[in-house]
Amino acid sequence: MSYKIARASEYLAITGGGIKDIKLAKSSWVLPWQSCTVFDVSPVNYTFEVQAMSSEKLPFVIPAVFTIGPRVDDPHALLLYAMLMSQHDKHSNHVNELVQGVIEGETRVLVASMTMEEVFKGTKEFKKEVFEKVQLELNQFGLVIYNANVKQLVDVPGHEYFSYLGQKTQMEAANQAKIDVAEAKMKGEVGAKERTGLTIQNAAKIDAESKIISTQRNGEGTKEEIKVKSEVQVFQNEKEALVAKADAALAIQKAALTKSSRVAEVEAAKAVAMREAELQTQVEKMNALTRTEKLKAEFLSKATVEYETKVQEANWELYNKQKKAEAVLYEKQKQAEATKAAADAAFYAKQREAEGIVAMANAQGTYIKTLLGAVNNDYSAMRDFLMINNGVYQDIAKTNAIAIKDLQPKISVWNQGGADQGMSGGGMKDIAGLYKMLPPVLDTVYEQTGMQPPAWIGTLRGAEPSR
């Protein structure tokens, strides 16, 4: 048990038995089952150089010095500081990074919504807004800003905005000074001329010839005034003509640029549309070929695997049955049972083989149905595809070639003549008769098979088109 006393700028934070949450005091007894921490509440200066960017995307540096410390006049804020920050030294990197993060974050957000001109000219308002926004964030840590000083804004290398702005201000001041000097000089000269004129007028009143001299001077003044007005009007007309000419040239250039831009946009849009159409056509063709090959491979491979699987299962079952039958046959007492088992095995094998054939037939039926759907139920197209795919045309051509190999056919036509020989033209009558036999033959083929002759021969009357 000990008695603790804090210094003038310190507080005691006591926790432990008999204390709910934290007890803050300047002095107190600390029991053995209690813990006491002494923390300093004096403010600390934090110096930063905040890298910021205005709403025009112009970067610059804001040197700032903040004096921050615990809020000692608010017990709740002081309790927050004791809970959250007292375990860290106020000069530690943790506290420094926390304060720097809050200041830099709020300053950057505020600067991002302002232009460079607003930041440069409104330094007091900018400082006030930064102070208020940073204070809102520091309240949750029990900290208060005692003082905030934003120094002169500094340019980032490569972006010398403030330097150029200062040069601009200096040049404006120098030019204004030159204007003031010129105006003062003009007033002095005009005043001197006025004094001279008064002296001459007074002398003319005294002199007898003052009336003549005054008349002459009035005439000269009127003449000079008219001359000056004429020159001013000529100068104004010339300026207006130049401005009108420049405006006309600018309008012509704008019209030409607008026309070129619109033509280029239309041509680009058309080129993009044409290219997209070409690519889409190629993609659709490739997708159709891919789907056809995929369906063919899937159905054929599935049917083949299923057929082979059933055949292997039948062979295995047959093998097992045969082994059992051989064992029974080896035993003379069970000869009859062996015969029956062999018969059962053969029957089972035939049955499994028949199931395999049925499965193959179902797969082929599905394959043909899929092909028929792919060609939009065009029976002729499907028949031609199957005959080409199965090599039927090649086999027919090969068989015909073998049949007429080494033959040298000669065709002779004899005509005995007749009453109508002069009408039909001799031997062509027999050839015409041969061609007349073709329609009945083609009708018979169509009735028995449903197949029509090729389009180059002709179309049968009354026959429905193949689908």
Side-chain angles (χ1 to χ4, degrees), residues 20 110 128 141 162 182 190 194 217 229 252 263 279 288 334 350 354 365 370-371 377 380 417:
K20 184 179 180 181
L110 178 61
K128 181 179 178 182
F141 300 102
F162 295 114
V190 171
E194 289 178 352
R217 291 191 177 278
K229 289 182 177 180
I252 293 172
V263 169
L279 294 176
K334 298 181 181 181
K350 292 294 182 180
T370 304
L371 284 180
N377 294 326
S380 298

Side-chain angles (χ1 to χ4, degrees), residues 41-44 46 67-72 81 138 142-146:
V41 295
S42 58
V44 179
Y46 296 95
T67 303
I68 300 175
R71 186 187 294 272
V72 296
Y81 179 81
L138 294 178
L143 296 172
V144 63
I145 301 175
Y146 288 96

Side-chain angles (χ1 to χ4, degrees), residues 103-390:
I103 294 174
E104 288 185 350
E106 295 299 327
T107 304
R108 286 172 179 166
V109 171
L110 178 61
V111 170
S113 63
M114 300 176 66
T115 63
M116 293 290 284
E117 193 71 16
E118 293 173 349
V119 175
F120 187 75
K121 291 185 177 180
T123 306
K124 291 184 179 180
E125 290 77 7
F126 173 70
K127 175 183 175 181
K128 181 179 178 182
E129 290 193 30
V130 171
F131 186 95
E132 292 175 353
K133 291 182 178 297
V134 173
Q135 183 59 61
L136 287 176
E137 294 296 324
L138 294 178
N139 285 338
Q140 58 186 333
F141 300 102
L143 296 172
V144 63
I145 301 175
Y146 288 96
N147 183 41
N149 183 21
V150 178
K151 299 182 180 179
Q152 183 65 35
L153 304 180
V154 180
D155 288 317
V156 175
H159 300 273
E160 289 78 12
Y161 175 82
F162 295 114
S163 176
Y164 292 146
L165 192 62
Q167 294 177 13
K168 176 185 175 183
T169 304
Q170 292 177 1
M171 293 299 296
E172 290 177 351
N175 293 333
Q176 186 63 39
K178 290 180 182 179
I179 293 172
D180 294 341
V181 171
E183 288 182 353
K185 185 177 180 180
M186 180 187 68
K187 290 180 180 178
E189 291 179 354
V190 171
K193 294 292 184 180
E194 289 178 352
R195 293 294 182 184
T196 302
L198 290 174
T199 301
I200 293 174
Q201 290 177 6
N202 291 331
K205 288 180 182 180
I206 297 171
D207 192 32
E209 298 179 353
S210 59
K211 188 174 182 179
I212 297 174
I213 296 173
S214 175
T215 302
Q216 292 177 349
R217 291 191 177 278
N218 290 333
E220 292 177 355
T222 303
K223 181 179 179 180
E224 292 295 328
E225 182 179 0
I226 294 172
K227 181 179 180 180
V228 170
K229 289 182 177 180
S230 300
E231 291 178 353
V232 170
Q233 186 64 36
V234 170
F235 179 77
Q236 290 179 350
N237 293 337
E238 291 177 351
K239 289 293 184 181
E240 291 177 356
L242 291 175
V243 171
K245 184 178 181 181
D247 291 341
L250 179 60
I252 293 172
Q253 291 180 356
K254 285 183 177 180
L257 291 175
T258 303
K259 179 180 178 182
S260 301
S261 175
R262 291 180 178 177
V263 169
E265 289 178 356
V266 172
E267 291 179 351
K270 289 184 177 180
V272 170
M274 292 176 64
R275 183 56 180 166
E276 288 180 350
E278 292 176 0
L279 294 176
Q280 185 63 29
T281 302
Q282 295 178 2
V283 169
E284 290 178 355
K285 289 182 178 179
M286 293 302 295
N287 288 338
L289 292 175
T290 303
R291 286 195 296 269
T292 302
E293 293 298 328
K294 183 178 179 181
L295 288 171
K296 178 181 176 183
E298 287 180 355
F299 284 110
L300 287 180
S301 60
K302 182 177 179 181
T304 303
V305 170
E306 187 173 355
Y307 172 78
E308 292 178 355
T309 300
K310 292 185 179 296
V311 171
Q312 291 293 333
E313 290 178 356
N315 291 337
W316 175 252
E317 294 293 335
L318 178 60
Y319 176 79
N320 290 334
K321 295 289 185 179
Q322 288 176 349
K323 287 297 183 181
K324 291 181 180 180
E326 290 174 0
V328 173
L329 289 173
Y330 182 77
E331 298 175 359
K332 294 181 179 180
Q333 295 177 356
K334 298 181 181 181
Q335 187 173 5
E337 295 179 357
T339 304
K340 184 179 179 181
D344 292 340
F347 174 76
Y348 184 76
K350 292 294 182 180
Q351 184 179 7
R352 296 308 295 267
E353 184 177 0
E355 291 176 358
I357 294 172
V358 171
M360 175 64 78
N362 291 334
Q364 290 179 348
T366 305
Y367 172 60
I368 292 173
K369 184 178 180 181
T370 304
L371 284 180
L372 192 59
V375 297
N376 296 324
N377 294 326
D378 190 346
Y379 174 77
S380 298
M382 184 192 72
R383 180 195 61 205
D384 294 340
F385 173 80
L386 290 175
M387 294 181 73
I388 293 172
N389 192 43
N390 295 327

